[in-house]
Amino acid sequence: MKLTPDGKRDWNYYKDRIDFVDYAEQQGYEINNKKTSRSYVVMHHTTNEDVIIIYKNKNTGYQGYFNPNDSRDEGSVVDFQKFRSNGDWKEVFAKLDGYLNELPTNYNPKVKIEPIGSVNREQAIQHEFRFLPLTNVKYLNDRGLTDETIFSPEFQHRIYNKHFYENQRTHINIAFPLKNETGTIAAIIRNESYNKIEEPKMDASWISNTKYKDGQTDRLIISESPIDSLSFHQLMKPKTDEKRVYLATAGNLSETQPRFIQLAIDTLKPRQIILANDNDNAGIKQNLNLIGALSHPDSEQSQYIKTHLNLVQNTHALLLLKVSHPNQEEGAKLLEHLSNKLTEEINKHTPLGLEPDAKAVVTQHAKFGSELEIHFTNNRQNLIRVEKALLEVKNLDRFITVKRPVNKDFNEDLKSSEKHRLESLSEAKKEEKIIENQEIKTLKIRR
């Protein structure tokens, strides 16, 4: 019966009769055989990136599902259709009834799912990427990271183990999930000799826990790798009650990552952003492209200016600038100021008798602004000068701080400091032993 005794639709009627996997296939999903197991069926939509994981709950006997990328999208087959019908119940039951009316009387499900106990969304995400609870941290310990750091509240459910099978051997890897606003879409997989990203990262980044009860975050720290984030945390521990969030881009900044990072800034409203990228030209370029792409809610001017740095060959750099201002005249003035500030900062260091190093060329006039290119020699000094000047002209120097490691990255700094600590301990023990021997010798003489 489709109705309950009080005249309402009986959800159990649909959950009893509808084979979820077959129903999802009719809605455009297909089974991912590589990721499906006896307990779960993983399905991807054929025309978009939607993923659902279907299971059978042994406690209720009904099939349920999760969308690992959207915590709102979970429940029964009725919930599945409700979510895709935007809450239009008339459409929901029309779809479900239509499926049942077309179902053959002798229909047998083609996929049998072994019933399992209650599960949650975190388990669904772990299943999609085969994540395992973090129990083996040897690789991280070998990088100088302590268990206190690894298991800090900031990093709970942000680091996993993952098995890798090769030559009939099982290797235990470390996995860092990469998330965008919809959820986990990729993962960094690491061990001593393996460093890969599973699935395209697109706009996703690794991000630490972000839930703070009273809103605004004190510091957002951006680095190139999660291990650098953990190292930074261990080297410069947060102050008591400091609300700190870490974000790692998993290597070079992708074209779409700044959009997600900007969303994180707008949501977290950090009082300070620290760029903790590598201490080399590539790291400075990463800083420049982050500064050029991002804005801060408390700096209106930063929202009008966008820049991007390209390195042409090894000796030449090209900074593309665009100003989009609601007032065309103000936009033109801002662009001129930007151009003058950046070229002057570079050229004032040009030795006497040589041609100016930086040249600005207007390339396009738009309705609400202009675009120009600044050409200059690609070297560390010039990149740092542009970095400093760009922070000033975007009025971001109050919000963004660049913190460079002493070595190439903060993990090397951590290992270096740990080595120095162990050497110091060793020297201290030697000194203690010498003093102890001297005391023993003195006692013998007195006797």
PDB file of all heavy atoms in Angstrom, residues 178-180 185 188 197 200-206 222-224 247-265 286 289-290 293-294:
ATOM      1  N   LEU A 178      41.998  15.976  -0.446  1.00  0.00           N
ATOM      2  CA  LEU A 178      41.901  17.321  -1.020  1.00  0.00           C
ATOM      3  C   LEU A 178      40.429  17.653  -1.206  1.00  0.00           C
ATOM      4  O   LEU A 178      39.693  16.918  -1.855  1.00  0.00           O
ATOM      5  CB  LEU A 178      42.646  17.387  -2.360  1.00  0.00           C
ATOM      6  CG  LEU A 178      44.138  17.042  -2.312  1.00  0.00           C
ATOM      7  CD1 LEU A 178      44.743  17.116  -3.706  1.00  0.00           C
ATOM      8  CD2 LEU A 178      44.888  17.952  -1.351  1.00  0.00           C
ATOM      9  N   LYS A 179      40.006  18.777  -0.650  1.00  0.00           N
ATOM     10  CA  LYS A 179      38.588  19.136  -0.643  1.00  0.00           C
ATOM     11  C   LYS A 179      38.356  20.446  -1.388  1.00  0.00           C
ATOM     12  O   LYS A 179      39.200  21.340  -1.392  1.00  0.00           O
ATOM     13  CB  LYS A 179      38.094  19.313   0.805  1.00  0.00           C
ATOM     14  CG  LYS A 179      38.191  18.071   1.674  1.00  0.00           C
ATOM     15  CD  LYS A 179      37.850  18.396   3.125  1.00  0.00           C
ATOM     16  CE  LYS A 179      37.932  17.152   4.006  1.00  0.00           C
ATOM     17  NZ  LYS A 179      36.760  16.282   3.862  1.00  0.00           N
ATOM     18  N   ASN A 180      37.170  20.520  -2.016  1.00  0.00           N
ATOM     19  CA  ASN A 180      36.664  21.820  -2.458  1.00  0.00           C
ATOM     20  C   ASN A 180      35.343  22.043  -1.726  1.00  0.00           C
ATOM     21  O   ASN A 180      35.039  21.352  -0.762  1.00  0.00           O
ATOM     22  CB  ASN A 180      36.535  21.895  -3.986  1.00  0.00           C
ATOM     23  CG  ASN A 180      35.558  20.874  -4.532  1.00  0.00           C
ATOM     24  OD1 ASN A 180      34.790  20.244  -3.802  1.00  0.00           O
ATOM     25  ND2 ASN A 180      35.584  20.696  -5.846  1.00  0.00           N
ATOM     26  N   ILE A 185      37.544  15.405  -3.317  1.00  0.00           N
ATOM     27  CA  ILE A 185      37.530  15.012  -4.734  1.00  0.00           C
ATOM     28  C   ILE A 185      38.864  14.401  -5.175  1.00  0.00           C
ATOM     29  O   ILE A 185      38.959  13.855  -6.272  1.00  0.00           O
ATOM     30  CB  ILE A 185      37.171  16.184  -5.659  1.00  0.00           C
ATOM     31  CG1 ILE A 185      38.258  17.264  -5.644  1.00  0.00           C
ATOM     32  CG2 ILE A 185      35.819  16.769  -5.307  1.00  0.00           C
ATOM     33  CD1 ILE A 185      38.118  18.280  -6.760  1.00  0.00           C
ATOM     34  N   ILE A 188      46.308  13.335  -1.822  1.00  0.00           N
ATOM     35  CA  ILE A 188      47.761  13.177  -1.937  1.00  0.00           C
ATOM     36  C   ILE A 188      48.125  11.854  -1.264  1.00  0.00           C
ATOM     37  O   ILE A 188      47.714  11.602  -0.125  1.00  0.00           O
ATOM     38  CB  ILE A 188      48.505  14.311  -1.216  1.00  0.00           C
ATOM     39  CG1 ILE A 188      48.105  15.679  -1.784  1.00  0.00           C
ATOM     40  CG2 ILE A 188      50.012  14.120  -1.319  1.00  0.00           C
ATOM     41  CD1 ILE A 188      48.636  16.842  -0.965  1.00  0.00           C
ATOM     42  N   ILE A 197      49.137  12.307  -6.698  1.00  0.00           N
ATOM     43  CA  ILE A 197      47.797  12.812  -6.388  1.00  0.00           C
ATOM     44  C   ILE A 197      46.787  11.915  -7.090  1.00  0.00           C
ATOM     45  O   ILE A 197      46.835  11.746  -8.312  1.00  0.00           O
ATOM     46  CB  ILE A 197      47.623  14.278  -6.838  1.00  0.00           C
ATOM     47  CG1 ILE A 197      48.574  15.175  -6.047  1.00  0.00           C
ATOM     48  CG2 ILE A 197      46.183  14.732  -6.635  1.00  0.00           C
ATOM     49  CD1 ILE A 197      48.467  16.648  -6.395  1.00  0.00           C
ATOM     50  N   PRO A 200      42.178  14.097 -10.344  1.00  0.00           N
ATOM     51  CA  PRO A 200      42.589  15.488 -10.589  1.00  0.00           C
ATOM     52  C   PRO A 200      42.200  16.391  -9.421  1.00  0.00           C
ATOM     53  O   PRO A 200      41.085  16.331  -8.924  1.00  0.00           O
ATOM     54  CB  PRO A 200      41.809  15.859 -11.864  1.00  0.00           C
ATOM     55  CG  PRO A 200      41.427  14.560 -12.489  1.00  0.00           C
ATOM     56  CD  PRO A 200      41.244  13.579 -11.367  1.00  0.00           C
ATOM     57  N   LYS A 201      43.141  17.243  -8.997  1.00  0.00           N
ATOM     58  CA  LYS A 201      42.838  18.104  -7.846  1.00  0.00           C
ATOM     59  C   LYS A 201      41.956  19.293  -8.220  1.00  0.00           C
ATOM     60  O   LYS A 201      41.264  19.844  -7.359  1.00  0.00           O
ATOM     61  CB  LYS A 201      44.119  18.587  -7.183  1.00  0.00           C
ATOM     62  CG  LYS A 201      44.889  19.663  -7.949  1.00  0.00           C
ATOM     63  CD  LYS A 201      46.095  20.149  -7.146  1.00  0.00           C
ATOM     64  CE  LYS A 201      46.844  21.262  -7.885  1.00  0.00           C
ATOM     65  NZ  LYS A 201      48.010  21.760  -7.137  1.00  0.00           N
ATOM     66  N   MET A 202      41.998  19.728  -9.461  1.00  0.00           N
ATOM     67  CA  MET A 202      41.179  20.853  -9.943  1.00  0.00           C
ATOM     68  C   MET A 202      41.276  22.035  -8.977  1.00  0.00           C
ATOM     69  O   MET A 202      42.350  22.568  -8.778  1.00  0.00           O
ATOM     70  CB  MET A 202      39.746  20.389 -10.186  1.00  0.00           C
ATOM     71  CG  MET A 202      39.660  19.346 -11.304  1.00  0.00           C
ATOM     72  SD  MET A 202      37.979  18.922 -11.806  1.00  0.00           S
ATOM     73  CE  MET A 202      37.426  17.977 -10.391  1.00  0.00           C
ATOM     74  N   ASP A 203      40.156  22.420  -8.331  1.00  0.00           N
ATOM     75  CA  ASP A 203      40.191  23.587  -7.446  1.00  0.00           C
ATOM     76  C   ASP A 203      40.373  23.203  -5.982  1.00  0.00           C
ATOM     77  O   ASP A 203      40.307  24.059  -5.095  1.00  0.00           O
ATOM     78  CB  ASP A 203      38.918  24.419  -7.600  1.00  0.00           C
ATOM     79  CG  ASP A 203      37.660  23.638  -7.219  1.00  0.00           C
ATOM     80  OD1 ASP A 203      37.714  22.395  -7.184  1.00  0.00           O
ATOM     81  OD2 ASP A 203      36.624  24.278  -6.965  1.00  0.00           O
ATOM     82  N   ALA A 204      40.597  21.919  -5.701  1.00  0.00           N
ATOM     83  CA  ALA A 204      40.626  21.444  -4.309  1.00  0.00           C
ATOM     84  C   ALA A 204      41.985  21.684  -3.643  1.00  0.00           C
ATOM     85  O   ALA A 204      43.018  21.727  -4.303  1.00  0.00           O
ATOM     86  CB  ALA A 204      40.281  19.955  -4.261  1.00  0.00           C
ATOM     87  N   SER A 205      41.949  21.821  -2.331  1.00  0.00           N
ATOM     88  CA  SER A 205      43.151  21.960  -1.515  1.00  0.00           C
ATOM     89  C   SER A 205      42.997  21.099  -0.267  1.00  0.00           C
ATOM     90  O   SER A 205      41.890  20.692   0.085  1.00  0.00           O
ATOM     91  CB  SER A 205      43.358  23.421  -1.095  1.00  0.00           C
ATOM     92  OG  SER A 205      43.562  24.258  -2.206  1.00  0.00           O
ATOM     93  N   TRP A 206      44.119  20.829   0.393  1.00  0.00           N
ATOM     94  CA  TRP A 206      44.049  20.190   1.713  1.00  0.00           C
ATOM     95  C   TRP A 206      43.821  21.294   2.732  1.00  0.00           C
ATOM     96  O   TRP A 206      44.474  22.337   2.687  1.00  0.00           O
ATOM     97  CB  TRP A 206      45.359  19.455   1.999  1.00  0.00           C
ATOM     98  CG  TRP A 206      45.382  18.791   3.338  1.00  0.00           C
ATOM     99  CD1 TRP A 206      44.860  17.572   3.675  1.00  0.00           C
ATOM    100  CD2 TRP A 206      45.968  19.305   4.546  1.00  0.00           C
ATOM    101  NE1 TRP A 206      45.075  17.306   5.003  1.00  0.00           N
ATOM    102  CE2 TRP A 206      45.749  18.355   5.563  1.00  0.00           C
ATOM    103  CE3 TRP A 206      46.639  20.496   4.857  1.00  0.00           C
ATOM    104  CZ2 TRP A 206      46.194  18.542   6.868  1.00  0.00           C
ATOM    105  CZ3 TRP A 206      47.084  20.693   6.158  1.00  0.00           C
ATOM    106  CH2 TRP A 206      46.857  19.721   7.140  1.00  0.00           C
ATOM    107  N   ILE A 222      48.975  29.316   4.516  1.00  0.00           N
ATOM    108  CA  ILE A 222      48.940  28.655   3.209  1.00  0.00           C
ATOM    109  C   ILE A 222      50.337  28.179   2.840  1.00  0.00           C
ATOM    110  O   ILE A 222      51.295  28.953   2.855  1.00  0.00           O
ATOM    111  CB  ILE A 222      48.410  29.613   2.128  1.00  0.00           C
ATOM    112  CG1 ILE A 222      47.006  30.111   2.495  1.00  0.00           C
ATOM    113  CG2 ILE A 222      48.382  28.927   0.761  1.00  0.00           C
ATOM    114  CD1 ILE A 222      46.453  31.167   1.547  1.00  0.00           C
ATOM    115  N   SER A 223      50.447  26.899   2.514  1.00  0.00           N
ATOM    116  CA  SER A 223      51.732  26.336   2.091  1.00  0.00           C
ATOM    117  C   SER A 223      51.512  25.444   0.881  1.00  0.00           C
ATOM    118  O   SER A 223      50.387  25.299   0.400  1.00  0.00           O
ATOM    119  CB  SER A 223      52.384  25.547   3.238  1.00  0.00           C
ATOM    120  OG  SER A 223      51.549  24.476   3.626  1.00  0.00           O
ATOM    121  N   GLU A 224      52.597  24.830   0.405  1.00  0.00           N
ATOM    122  CA  GLU A 224      52.494  23.999  -0.791  1.00  0.00           C
ATOM    123  C   GLU A 224      52.134  22.555  -0.476  1.00  0.00           C
ATOM    124  O   GLU A 224      51.599  21.859  -1.332  1.00  0.00           O
ATOM    125  CB  GLU A 224      53.807  24.059  -1.583  1.00  0.00           C
ATOM    126  CG  GLU A 224      54.083  25.439  -2.170  1.00  0.00           C
ATOM    127  CD  GLU A 224      55.402  25.509  -2.920  1.00  0.00           C
ATOM    128  OE1 GLU A 224      55.695  24.568  -3.679  1.00  0.00           O
ATOM    129  OE2 GLU A 224      56.141  26.493  -2.735  1.00  0.00           O
ATOM    130  N   LEU A 247      46.075  25.522   5.135  1.00  0.00           N
ATOM    131  CA  LEU A 247      45.629  25.149   3.792  1.00  0.00           C
ATOM    132  C   LEU A 247      46.859  24.880   2.940  1.00  0.00           C
ATOM    133  O   LEU A 247      47.811  25.660   2.965  1.00  0.00           O
ATOM    134  CB  LEU A 247      44.778  26.273   3.193  1.00  0.00           C
ATOM    135  CG  LEU A 247      44.124  26.008   1.832  1.00  0.00           C
ATOM    136  CD1 LEU A 247      42.789  26.764   1.717  1.00  0.00           C
ATOM    137  CD2 LEU A 247      45.031  26.408   0.669  1.00  0.00           C
ATOM    138  N   ALA A 248      46.849  23.761   2.212  1.00  0.00           N
ATOM    139  CA  ALA A 248      47.972  23.410   1.340  1.00  0.00           C
ATOM    140  C   ALA A 248      47.460  23.175  -0.075  1.00  0.00           C
ATOM    141  O   ALA A 248      46.433  22.526  -0.280  1.00  0.00           O
ATOM    142  CB  ALA A 248      48.691  22.167   1.857  1.00  0.00           C
ATOM    143  N   THR A 249      48.179  23.696  -1.057  1.00  0.00           N
ATOM    144  CA  THR A 249      47.731  23.660  -2.453  1.00  0.00           C
ATOM    145  C   THR A 249      48.133  22.382  -3.178  1.00  0.00           C
ATOM    146  O   THR A 249      47.802  22.220  -4.350  1.00  0.00           O
ATOM    147  CB  THR A 249      48.299  24.863  -3.222  1.00  0.00           C
ATOM    148  OG1 THR A 249      49.737  24.856  -3.118  1.00  0.00           O
ATOM    149  CG2 THR A 249      47.765  26.164  -2.649  1.00  0.00           C
ATOM    150  N   ALA A 250      48.877  21.496  -2.524  1.00  0.00           N
ATOM    151  CA  ALA A 250      49.342  20.248  -3.154  1.00  0.00           C
ATOM    152  C   ALA A 250      50.187  20.550  -4.388  1.00  0.00           C
ATOM    153  O   ALA A 250      49.927  20.081  -5.480  1.00  0.00           O
ATOM    154  CB  ALA A 250      48.171  19.344  -3.511  1.00  0.00           C
ATOM    155  N   GLY A 251      51.215  21.379  -4.188  1.00  0.00           N
ATOM    156  CA  GLY A 251      52.103  21.726  -5.299  1.00  0.00           C
ATOM    157  C   GLY A 251      51.761  23.074  -5.885  1.00  0.00           C
ATOM    158  O   GLY A 251      51.220  23.971  -5.215  1.00  0.00           O
ATOM    159  N   ASN A 252      52.073  23.229  -7.167  1.00  0.00           N
ATOM    160  CA  ASN A 252      51.829  24.499  -7.836  1.00  0.00           C
ATOM    161  C   ASN A 252      50.338  24.844  -7.862  1.00  0.00           C
ATOM    162  O   ASN A 252      49.481  23.969  -7.993  1.00  0.00           O
ATOM    163  CB  ASN A 252      52.357  24.459  -9.281  1.00  0.00           C
ATOM    164  CG  ASN A 252      53.869  24.350  -9.327  1.00  0.00           C
ATOM    165  OD1 ASN A 252      54.557  24.786  -8.404  1.00  0.00           O
ATOM    166  ND2 ASN A 252      54.396  23.760 -10.390  1.00  0.00           N
ATOM    167  N   LEU A 253      50.063  26.112  -7.766  1.00  0.00           N
ATOM    168  CA  LEU A 253      48.695  26.611  -7.773  1.00  0.00           C
ATOM    169  C   LEU A 253      48.035  26.317  -9.118  1.00  0.00           C
ATOM    170  O   LEU A 253      48.577  26.636 -10.175  1.00  0.00           O
ATOM    171  CB  LEU A 253      48.737  28.126  -7.539  1.00  0.00           C
ATOM    172  CG  LEU A 253      47.477  28.831  -7.076  1.00  0.00           C
ATOM    173  CD1 LEU A 253      47.063  28.358  -5.691  1.00  0.00           C
ATOM    174  CD2 LEU A 253      47.710  30.337  -7.077  1.00  0.00           C
ATOM    175  N   SER A 254      46.861  25.665  -9.087  1.00  0.00           N
ATOM    176  CA  SER A 254      46.138  25.417 -10.343  1.00  0.00           C
ATOM    177  C   SER A 254      45.368  26.668 -10.732  1.00  0.00           C
ATOM    178  O   SER A 254      45.212  27.609  -9.944  1.00  0.00           O
ATOM    179  CB  SER A 254      45.167  24.245 -10.182  1.00  0.00           C
ATOM    180  OG  SER A 254      44.026  24.639  -9.427  1.00  0.00           O
ATOM    181  N   GLU A 255      44.851  26.674 -11.933  1.00  0.00           N
ATOM    182  CA  GLU A 255      44.124  27.843 -12.434  1.00  0.00           C
ATOM    183  C   GLU A 255      42.869  28.136 -11.613  1.00  0.00           C
ATOM    184  O   GLU A 255      42.472  29.288 -11.439  1.00  0.00           O
ATOM    185  CB  GLU A 255      43.743  27.610 -13.906  1.00  0.00           C
ATOM    186  CG  GLU A 255      43.126  28.818 -14.572  1.00  0.00           C
ATOM    187  CD  GLU A 255      42.819  28.565 -16.041  1.00  0.00           C
ATOM    188  OE1 GLU A 255      43.346  27.594 -16.606  1.00  0.00           O
ATOM    189  OE2 GLU A 255      42.041  29.342 -16.620  1.00  0.00           O
ATOM    190  N   THR A 256      42.234  27.074 -11.073  1.00  0.00           N
ATOM    191  CA  THR A 256      40.960  27.260 -10.378  1.00  0.00           C
ATOM    192  C   THR A 256      41.074  27.265  -8.854  1.00  0.00           C
ATOM    193  O   THR A 256      40.102  27.582  -8.168  1.00  0.00           O
ATOM    194  CB  THR A 256      39.972  26.149 -10.794  1.00  0.00           C
ATOM    195  OG1 THR A 256      40.593  24.865 -10.582  1.00  0.00           O
ATOM    196  CG2 THR A 256      39.585  26.284 -12.255  1.00  0.00           C
ATOM    197  N   GLN A 257      42.243  26.923  -8.306  1.00  0.00           N
ATOM    198  CA  GLN A 257      42.380  26.887  -6.846  1.00  0.00           C
ATOM    199  C   GLN A 257      42.148  28.236  -6.163  1.00  0.00           C
ATOM    200  O   GLN A 257      41.563  28.267  -5.074  1.00  0.00           O
ATOM    201  CB  GLN A 257      43.752  26.334  -6.449  1.00  0.00           C
ATOM    202  CG  GLN A 257      43.777  24.816  -6.342  1.00  0.00           C
ATOM    203  CD  GLN A 257      45.135  24.288  -5.953  1.00  0.00           C
ATOM    204  OE1 GLN A 257      46.146  24.624  -6.554  1.00  0.00           O
ATOM    205  NE2 GLN A 257      45.169  23.437  -4.950  1.00  0.00           N
ATOM    206  N   PRO A 258      42.594  29.357  -6.751  1.00  0.00           N
ATOM    207  CA  PRO A 258      42.359  30.635  -6.062  1.00  0.00           C
ATOM    208  C   PRO A 258      40.887  30.886  -5.741  1.00  0.00           C
ATOM    209  O   PRO A 258      40.575  31.526  -4.732  1.00  0.00           O
ATOM    210  CB  PRO A 258      42.899  31.676  -7.057  1.00  0.00           C
ATOM    211  CG  PRO A 258      43.966  30.948  -7.791  1.00  0.00           C
ATOM    212  CD  PRO A 258      43.444  29.545  -7.935  1.00  0.00           C
ATOM    213  N   ARG A 259      39.974  30.370  -6.557  1.00  0.00           N
ATOM    214  CA  ARG A 259      38.544  30.585  -6.293  1.00  0.00           C
ATOM    215  C   ARG A 259      38.144  29.906  -4.973  1.00  0.00           C
ATOM    216  O   ARG A 259      37.442  30.499  -4.152  1.00  0.00           O
ATOM    217  CB  ARG A 259      37.700  30.023  -7.445  1.00  0.00           C
ATOM    218  CG  ARG A 259      36.215  30.329  -7.341  1.00  0.00           C
ATOM    219  CD  ARG A 259      35.420  29.480  -8.315  1.00  0.00           C
ATOM    220  NE  ARG A 259      35.502  28.066  -7.979  1.00  0.00           N
ATOM    221  CZ  ARG A 259      34.763  27.482  -7.039  1.00  0.00           C
ATOM    222  NH1 ARG A 259      33.897  28.180  -6.341  1.00  0.00           N
ATOM    223  NH2 ARG A 259      34.895  26.199  -6.792  1.00  0.00           N
ATOM    224  N   PHE A 260      38.616  28.667  -4.764  1.00  0.00           N
ATOM    225  CA  PHE A 260      38.288  27.969  -3.523  1.00  0.00           C
ATOM    226  C   PHE A 260      38.991  28.620  -2.330  1.00  0.00           C
ATOM    227  O   PHE A 260      38.407  28.760  -1.253  1.00  0.00           O
ATOM    228  CB  PHE A 260      38.689  26.492  -3.609  1.00  0.00           C
ATOM    229  CG  PHE A 260      38.526  25.746  -2.315  1.00  0.00           C
ATOM    230  CD1 PHE A 260      37.273  25.524  -1.777  1.00  0.00           C
ATOM    231  CD2 PHE A 260      39.643  25.302  -1.614  1.00  0.00           C
ATOM    232  CE1 PHE A 260      37.125  24.843  -0.568  1.00  0.00           C
ATOM    233  CE2 PHE A 260      39.505  24.629  -0.404  1.00  0.00           C
ATOM    234  CZ  PHE A 260      38.233  24.402   0.119  1.00  0.00           C
ATOM    235  N   ILE A 261      40.255  29.040  -2.520  1.00  0.00           N
ATOM    236  CA  ILE A 261      40.989  29.690  -1.427  1.00  0.00           C
ATOM    237  C   ILE A 261      40.305  31.006  -1.050  1.00  0.00           C
ATOM    238  O   ILE A 261      40.194  31.346   0.130  1.00  0.00           O
ATOM    239  CB  ILE A 261      42.462  29.915  -1.822  1.00  0.00           C
ATOM    240  CG1 ILE A 261      43.149  28.564  -2.073  1.00  0.00           C
ATOM    241  CG2 ILE A 261      43.206  30.691  -0.741  1.00  0.00           C
ATOM    242  CD1 ILE A 261      44.537  28.662  -2.660  1.00  0.00           C
ATOM    243  N   GLN A 262      39.822  31.736  -2.067  1.00  0.00           N
ATOM    244  CA  GLN A 262      39.099  32.978  -1.780  1.00  0.00           C
ATOM    245  C   GLN A 262      37.812  32.689  -1.008  1.00  0.00           C
ATOM    246  O   GLN A 262      37.445  33.432  -0.088  1.00  0.00           O
ATOM    247  CB  GLN A 262      38.763  33.714  -3.089  1.00  0.00           C
ATOM    248  CG  GLN A 262      38.114  35.079  -2.880  1.00  0.00           C
ATOM    249  CD  GLN A 262      39.048  36.043  -2.159  1.00  0.00           C
ATOM    250  OE1 GLN A 262      40.161  36.298  -2.599  1.00  0.00           O
ATOM    251  NE2 GLN A 262      38.599  36.567  -1.023  1.00  0.00           N
ATOM    252  N   LEU A 263      37.141  31.604  -1.362  1.00  0.00           N
ATOM    253  CA  LEU A 263      35.934  31.202  -0.626  1.00  0.00           C
ATOM    254  C   LEU A 263      36.276  30.920   0.833  1.00  0.00           C
ATOM    255  O   LEU A 263      35.532  31.303   1.747  1.00  0.00           O
ATOM    256  CB  LEU A 263      35.318  29.963  -1.280  1.00  0.00           C
ATOM    257  CG  LEU A 263      34.079  29.375  -0.590  1.00  0.00           C
ATOM    258  CD1 LEU A 263      32.908  30.351  -0.673  1.00  0.00           C
ATOM    259  CD2 LEU A 263      33.689  28.043  -1.232  1.00  0.00           C
ATOM    260  N   ALA A 264      37.420  30.249   1.071  1.00  0.00           N
ATOM    261  CA  ALA A 264      37.854  29.975   2.440  1.00  0.00           C
ATOM    262  C   ALA A 264      38.120  31.276   3.197  1.00  0.00           C
ATOM    263  O   ALA A 264      37.737  31.424   4.366  1.00  0.00           O
ATOM    264  CB  ALA A 264      39.107  29.100   2.424  1.00  0.00           C
ATOM    265  N   ILE A 265      38.744  32.251   2.528  1.00  0.00           N
ATOM    266  CA  ILE A 265      39.025  33.546   3.167  1.00  0.00           C
ATOM    267  C   ILE A 265      37.731  34.275   3.502  1.00  0.00           C
ATOM    268  O   ILE A 265      37.554  34.807   4.603  1.00  0.00           O
ATOM    269  CB  ILE A 265      39.922  34.408   2.254  1.00  0.00           C
ATOM    270  CG1 ILE A 265      41.323  33.789   2.154  1.00  0.00           C
ATOM    271  CG2 ILE A 265      40.007  35.847   2.767  1.00  0.00           C
ATOM    272  CD1 ILE A 265      42.206  34.437   1.117  1.00  0.00           C
ATOM    273  N   GLN A 286      54.702  31.425  -6.437  1.00  0.00           N
ATOM    274  CA  GLN A 286      53.439  30.988  -5.832  1.00  0.00           C
ATOM    275  C   GLN A 286      52.858  32.108  -4.953  1.00  0.00           C
ATOM    276  O   GLN A 286      51.665  32.392  -4.991  1.00  0.00           O
ATOM    277  CB  GLN A 286      53.691  29.732  -4.992  1.00  0.00           C
ATOM    278  CG  GLN A 286      52.439  29.104  -4.417  1.00  0.00           C
ATOM    279  CD  GLN A 286      51.971  27.903  -5.215  1.00  0.00           C
ATOM    280  OE1 GLN A 286      52.027  27.915  -6.440  1.00  0.00           O
ATOM    281  NE2 GLN A 286      51.505  26.884  -4.538  1.00  0.00           N
ATOM    282  N   ASN A 289      51.395  34.868  -7.211  1.00  0.00           N
ATOM    283  CA  ASN A 289      50.117  34.526  -7.845  1.00  0.00           C
ATOM    284  C   ASN A 289      48.978  34.448  -6.835  1.00  0.00           C
ATOM    285  O   ASN A 289      47.827  34.714  -7.171  1.00  0.00           O
ATOM    286  CB  ASN A 289      50.249  33.237  -8.658  1.00  0.00           C
ATOM    287  CG  ASN A 289      50.946  33.484  -9.985  1.00  0.00           C
ATOM    288  OD1 ASN A 289      50.900  34.591 -10.522  1.00  0.00           O
ATOM    289  ND2 ASN A 289      51.616  32.484 -10.523  1.00  0.00           N
ATOM    290  N   LEU A 290      49.291  34.098  -5.595  1.00  0.00           N
ATOM    291  CA  LEU A 290      48.262  34.135  -4.551  1.00  0.00           C
ATOM    292  C   LEU A 290      47.903  35.580  -4.211  1.00  0.00           C
ATOM    293  O   LEU A 290      46.726  35.941  -4.128  1.00  0.00           O
ATOM    294  CB  LEU A 290      48.756  33.403  -3.301  1.00  0.00           C
ATOM    295  CG  LEU A 290      48.683  31.874  -3.355  1.00  0.00           C
ATOM    296  CD1 LEU A 290      49.508  31.245  -2.234  1.00  0.00           C
ATOM    297  CD2 LEU A 290      47.239  31.390  -3.277  1.00  0.00           C
ATOM    298  N   ALA A 293      45.833  37.056  -7.014  1.00  0.00           N
ATOM    299  CA  ALA A 293      44.486  36.523  -7.242  1.00  0.00           C
ATOM    300  C   ALA A 293      43.522  36.798  -6.091  1.00  0.00           C
ATOM    301  O   ALA A 293      42.306  36.846  -6.298  1.00  0.00           O
ATOM    302  CB  ALA A 293      44.565  35.011  -7.485  1.00  0.00           C
ATOM    303  N   LEU A 294      44.067  36.965  -4.876  1.00  0.00           N
ATOM    304  CA  LEU A 294      43.198  37.011  -3.698  1.00  0.00           C
ATOM    305  C   LEU A 294      42.855  38.427  -3.278  1.00  0.00           C
ATOM    306  O   LEU A 294      43.542  39.390  -3.628  1.00  0.00           O
ATOM    307  CB  LEU A 294      43.875  36.282  -2.533  1.00  0.00           C
ATOM    308  CG  LEU A 294      44.222  34.810  -2.759  1.00  0.00           C
ATOM    309  CD1 LEU A 294      44.917  34.232  -1.534  1.00  0.00           C
ATOM    310  CD2 LEU A 294      42.979  33.995  -3.108  1.00  0.00           C
TER     311      LEU A 294
END
